[in-house]
Amino acid sequence: MKTIIEPFRIKSVEPIRMTTRPEREALIRDCHYNLFALDADDVLIDLLTDSGTGAMSSEQWAAIMRGDESYAGSPSFHRFRDAVTALMPFRHIIPTHQGRAAEAILFSMFGGKGRVIPSNTHFDTTRGNIEASGAQAVDLVIDEGKDPASEHPFKGNMNIDKLEACLNEHGDAVPCVMLTITNNAGGGQPVSLENIQAVARTARAHGKPFFIDGCRFAENAWFIKCREPGQQDRSIPDIVRDCFAPADGMTMSAKKDAFGNIGGWLALNDDTLADTARAHLIRTEGFPTYGGLAGRDLDALAQGLSEIVDEDYLRYRIRTNEYIIERLDALGVPVVKPAGGHAVFVDARSWLSHIPPTEYPGQALAVALYEIAGVRSCEIGTVMFGRQPDGSEQPAAMDLVRLAFPRRTYTQSHADYIIEAFGELAEMRDSLTGYRIAWEPKLMRHFTCRFEPLS
Ligand SMILES: *Cc1c(COP(=O)(O)O)cnc(C)c1O
């Protein structure tokens, strides 16, 4: 059979509250055209993020009941640690409440004024933690990774020549090398196994520890299996183990590829570093056998890790993106290709070319998509990145709209509905107008700023 079905049945459902277009036009106007201000109940299909928004399986809910809330030495921790090390055999597994807590601990040890930390592309919380420590976060993704039209199979790869140059230039100021798989801030694009190993070799040659931000490790392994020569006949767990084997540790948001609604961890091989990290953990998160989590969360994650490497799941997961991208492409909607792991990215700047970047074409598209269909997406462009530290306003590198898919949450008819909405938008895109920002806070303005339509 050729049809790729959702590889699950639905046992518990959550009704969607239907709204009409006039209702949505009023709701978004009341929110000053900022989609973050909407109540989730006023959204039909919520593609704001894939973080912590997925559905847990019946076995995960059963694991919740198994959770043990002992303060120290809980069996839930042992099940969690064993599930992590079955895939990522690091010596020390330190649970945290989210990925950013693991980052905060890591960079309390590796950050600091004057230091330089290279990666393919640092995720924004990673960058935030590095910069808060006084260090500089440097992005060294390959050039293809910055070109929406490039069909390179591994657009998340690190540019090894640039990494080498960075290590030569900054020498002792580089405390470690990082790599994000998949490259979230770069469109969920994967990193090849060959590139992971090359980054590790380069780091080792310079005597630097190498850490992986592994948030979407299973999606990345699926891309390696499908796209990298010689990997087709290997199992996903084997590929995952190969990815982490050359690393000295990892940070993880379990809200991504562990099927969790909350959770994360920091993994380390070095005993002395692990002692320092645990001391920090006790001060900020909790005792080392629960970190920032309840025992029941640890059990749900242990179960989730055994499900996320399932090939039927990963095939369906990635196929959802490919399917939407193929249909949008056929409608003439410019999308970032090839399909990444967790989201579809629409190039609003080129599709709404009559709206200049300083009038936020991504925001115009995201608002129109909500008004027409009740679909919530996220502008990733000049609203998010346009305000410069000196107060000036510059167009971002790209004006994209991200449709991020929660895991195991929506079905093919939801995908078809989204495609139909883009068909409607294609008819009326010339009539869409830009926005101006009427009010904004000093930092991270996209979450709370207020817009006014320019008509
Ligand atoms: C989500 C994410 C993080 C941060 O994790 P939180 O659980 O949201 O704190 C870090 N890196 C990447 C690549 C992510 O996608």
Side-chain angles (χ1 to χ4, degrees), residues 55-69 75-77 79-81 83-84 254-263 265 293-308 408:
M56 290 211 293
S57 66
S58 49
E59 288 301 322
Q60 282 184 287
W61 284 109
I64 290 261
M65 289 306 296
R66 205 175 303 125
D68 177 279
E69 306 303 338
S76 296
F77 172 71
R79 288 188 284 266
F80 163 78
R81 186 195 53 199
V84 174
K255 302 172 75 170
K256 323 294 173 43
D257 274 0
F259 281 136
N261 297 130
I262 196 73
W265 66 82
L293 295 170
R296 64 180 82 98
D297 297 327
L298 293 168
D299 262 306
L301 298 179
Q303 177 61 30
L305 283 170
S306 75
E307 297 175 7
I308 201 88
R408 304 190 291 206

Side-chain angles (χ1 to χ4, degrees), residues 49-52 96-103 121-126 129 180-185 213-216 251-256 262-264 342 402:
T49 176
D50 68 319
S51 180
T96 59
H97 81 280
Q98 281 193 219
R100 65 198 69 187
E103 293 166 356
T121 311
H122 290 282
F123 183 64
D124 56 9
T125 60
T126 321
N129 274 297
T180 314
I181 65 171
T182 58
N183 192 22
N184 183 359
D213 174 342
C215 293
R216 294 178 184 79
T251 56
M252 177 73 187
S253 168
K255 302 172 75 170
K256 323 294 173 43
I262 196 73
H342 65 290
R402 183 182 74 179

